[in-house]
Amino acid sequence: MAIQRMTEKTAKKPLWRRLLWMVIIWGGSVLALFVVASLFRVLMSAAGLRTH
């Protein structure tokens, strides 16, 4: 029953708003991946590993 109510609420929201949330979540995940990759790169450089 709670799932049905949640689905009804979601269906009432405009498409642009749902797409905006999807873009925000996607952007946040890309940003988080960039931060983790940068941190690994800094740590590997500090350990003496180089890309060239």
Side-chain angles (χ1 to χ4, degrees):
M1 187 151 219
I3 294 172
Q4 186 178 7
R5 279 192 222 138
M6 189 177 359
T7 305
E8 289 171 0
K9 288 180 183 178
T10 304
K12 291 179 184 178
K13 292 186 179 184
L15 178 64
W16 68 268
R17 196 165 182 185
R18 288 181 280 161
L19 289 175
L20 180 64
W21 271 110
M22 187 175 71
V23 168
I24 290 170
I25 292 169
W26 175 79
S29 65
V30 170
L31 181 63
L33 180 61
F34 172 75
V35 168
V36 170
S38 298
L39 180 63
F40 273 113
R41 188 173 183 182
V42 167
L43 291 173
M44 290 174 71
S45 295
L49 299 173
R50 307 263 184 231
T51 56
H52 296 347

